[in-house]
């Protein structure tokens, strides 16, 4: 799922594309943009329900947000054009995919939130490659999503039917394997998110060439959704270290203890992570890039994303960096990245072997 204006979505897509190309294959990303995923990218979309009450409020909101939304869409479009090998045709429905999708030897679906209950993507047969002929090989790589446990009956039946389309199945979170495995007789493997298929050196090469934020010392805050808890924790860390707080946010809401609020391009996003002294986030990919750039970080739990974070952190012995509720935090505790890299290496090799098995023949 590459189409949301979301850093993790576009960077994991680029990572998988790049890795498969490094193995000597030609890659094309099907530019699938269903309305139920991209509806909020419309210039007429009003996200705050307070401004939907009458036409004047709504119009004022749209006009106010227009330059910010234009800049954000442009930043992501430049990344798509520069880094992603998108198909010529854009598809909005499963029927579009049947008619317009490129011919290939292997089709891969993955990774971010493609089977999620929260966004109803699990109901979309496209994310299970149902538009692809049975004569072609169809696999999932690091498929992810929020799965209620127990799984609702309608979700169980839908996914059981759709999973039968796939020849090989892998997921990103180990906790979801029993749920998925109960719906299929094919083995379900656990692999890493695509961003981990590349090391720090690769991501350093990708970030903006200009030395953005290089030499600056700051605490980076990257929240997804509700952010007050994260900003509060960053404020405590700022008091201890004397470092300013830089906040990644597309919102126009200002925070008194935030020194810089930035709505970056995907490549500037990488620069911000690469150069930060400390990172506090509740984002899966925010945590992933903190690890890849070997930063000192803390992840804050959320109501629906805990399994994503805990699954990743448990794999590499960093479960103590996950903070929940009002739990205390030892801001002096540093991460031993030699030990982390040793554990991460096992999962990278496992993930690479799975992909190579998919690509065989």
């Amino acid at each position: 799922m590459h189409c949301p204006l979301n850093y993790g979505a576009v960077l994991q897509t680029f990572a998988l594309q790049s890795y498969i190309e490094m193995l000597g294959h030609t890659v094309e990303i099907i530019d699938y943009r269903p309305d139920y995923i991209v509806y909020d990218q419309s210039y007429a979309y009003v996200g705050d329900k307070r401004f939907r009450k009458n036409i004047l409020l709504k119009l004022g909101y749209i006009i106010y947000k227009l330059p910010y939304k234009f800049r954000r869409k442009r930043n992501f479009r430049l990344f798509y054009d520069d880094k992603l090998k998108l198909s010529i045709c854009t598809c909005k429905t499963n029927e579009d995919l049947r008619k317009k999708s490129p011919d290939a030897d292997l089709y891969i679906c993955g990774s971010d939130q493609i089977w999620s209950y929260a966004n109803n993507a699990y109901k979309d047969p496209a994310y299970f490659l149902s538009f692809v002929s049975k004569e072609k090989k169809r696999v999932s790589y690091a498929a992810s999503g929020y799965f209620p446990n127990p799984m609702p009956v309608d979700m169980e039946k839908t996914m059981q039917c759709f999973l039968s389309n796939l020849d090989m199945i892998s997921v990103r979170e180990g906790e979801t394997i029993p749920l998925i495995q109960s719906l299929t007789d094919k083995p379900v493997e656990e692999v890493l998110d695509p961003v981990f298929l590349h090391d720090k050196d690769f991501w350093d090469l990708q970030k903006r060439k200009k030395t953005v934020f290089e030499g600056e010392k700051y605490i980076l805050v990257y929240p997804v959704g509700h952010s007050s808890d994260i900003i509060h924790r960053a404020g405590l860390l700022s008091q201890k270290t004397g470092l300013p707080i830089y906040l990644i946010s597309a919102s126009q809401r200002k925070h008194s203890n935030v020194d810089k609020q930035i709505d970056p391009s995907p490549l500037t996003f990488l620069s911000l992570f690469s150069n930060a002294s400390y990172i506090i986030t509740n984002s899966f990919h925010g945590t992933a890039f903190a690890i890849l750039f070997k930063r000192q970080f803390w992840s804050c739990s959320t109501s629906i994303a805990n399994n994503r974070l805990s699954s990743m952190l448990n794999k590499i012995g960093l479960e103590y960096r996950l903070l929940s509720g009002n739990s205390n935090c030892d801001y002096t505790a540093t991460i031993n990245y030699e030990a982390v890299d040793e554990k991460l290496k096992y999962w990278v090799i496992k993930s690479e072997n799975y992909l190579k098995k998919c690509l065989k023949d």
Side-chain angles (χ1 to χ4, degrees), residues 48-112:
D48 193 326
K49 61 183 180 183
R50 294 174 300 171
F51 295 94
R52 298 178 200 155
K53 294 177 181 177
N54 67 57
I55 190 66
L56 290 177
L57 280 174
K58 186 175 181 179
L59 186 61
Y61 179 93
I62 290 169
I63 293 170
Y64 175 70
K65 296 284 282 188
L66 190 63
Y68 302 101
K69 187 166 276 192
F70 175 81
R71 184 176 64 240
R72 186 169 180 82
K73 290 179 74 167
R74 182 195 61 194
N75 282 339
F76 277 81
R77 175 49 61 188
L78 289 172
F79 182 86
Y80 296 144
D81 293 344
D82 183 41
K83 296 290 187 181
L84 300 186
K85 307 287 178 61
L86 294 178
S87 60
I88 295 172
C89 294
T90 297
C91 300
K92 296 175 75 69
T93 66
N94 202 49
E95 188 58 32
D96 285 347
L97 289 166
R98 290 185 190 281
K99 294 175 181 176
K100 302 177 185 178
S101 60
D103 184 44
D105 301 302
L106 170 70
Y107 292 80
I108 302 176
C109 57
S111 118
D112 219 26

Side-chain angles (χ1 to χ4, degrees), residues 210-223:
K210 223 170 107 184
T211 55
V212 182
F213 309 108
E214 209 165 287
E216 298 183 40
K217 295 185 181 296
Y218 55 89
I219 299 162
L220 181 64
V221 177
Y222 177 44

Side-chain angles (χ1 to χ4, degrees), residues 2 111 130 151 154 160 173 248 254 340 350:
H2 69 287
S111 118
S130 67
M151 194 180 287
D154 70 312
Q160 188 170 30
E173 287 83 30
I248 294 177
K254 303 301 179 186
V340 169
K350 186 176 187 293

Side-chain angles (χ1 to χ4, degrees), residues 194-355:
V195 299
F196 288 106
L197 295 170
H198 302 285
D199 61 12
K200 179 180 183 296
D201 291 340
F202 172 87
W203 290 112
D204 274 329
L205 285 172
Q206 307 309 319
K207 67 185 187 184
R208 228 172 117 175
K209 290 178 184 175
K210 223 170 107 184
T211 55
V212 182
F213 309 108
E214 209 165 287
E216 298 183 40
K217 295 185 181 296
Y218 55 89
I219 299 162
L220 181 64
V221 177
Y222 177 44
V224 175
H226 188 62
S227 60
S228 59
D229 174 55
I230 303 178
I231 293 173
H232 172 70
R233 288 186 182 277
L236 296 176
L237 181 58
S238 179
Q239 290 172 17
K240 290 179 180 292
T241 61
L243 295 179
I245 297 171
Y246 291 7
L247 172 68
I248 294 177
S249 175
S251 170
Q252 281 70 63
R253 182 186 172 194
K254 303 301 179 186
H255 302 270
S256 58
N257 58 342
V258 169
D259 298 272
K260 275 189 187 179
Q261 190 160 313
I262 307 155
D263 183 14
S265 69
L267 298 185
T268 302
F269 173 90
L270 292 175
S271 292
L272 279 162
F273 274 81
S274 175
N275 293 298
S277 300
Y278 301 95
I279 295 167
I280 300 180
T281 183
N282 62 357
S283 156
F284 174 89
H285 281 106
T287 303
F289 280 107
I291 294 165
L292 284 162
F293 285 120
K294 303 183 190 301
R295 302 291 89 190
Q296 300 300 317
F297 76 91
W298 292 268
S299 291
C300 297
S301 61
T302 66
S303 57
I304 64 169
N306 286 350
N307 71 320
R308 295 181 230 167
L309 293 169
S310 62
S311 181
M312 172 171 52
L313 294 173
N314 288 339
K315 284 184 181 76
I316 54 178
L318 289 179
E319 58 278 358
Y320 67 98
R321 305 304 281 201
L322 181 61
L323 307 176
S324 58
N326 296 317
S327 59
N328 292 325
C329 175
D330 180 4
Y331 291 110
T332 63
T334 58
I335 298 170
N336 175 4
Y337 271 105
E338 284 188 15
V340 169
D341 288 345
E342 197 60 38
K343 291 177 179 172
L344 189 58
K345 185 179 178 182
Y346 164 81
W347 285 100
V348 171
I349 292 171
K350 186 176 187 293
S351 302
E352 289 176 335
N353 287 341
Y354 173 82
L355 261 179

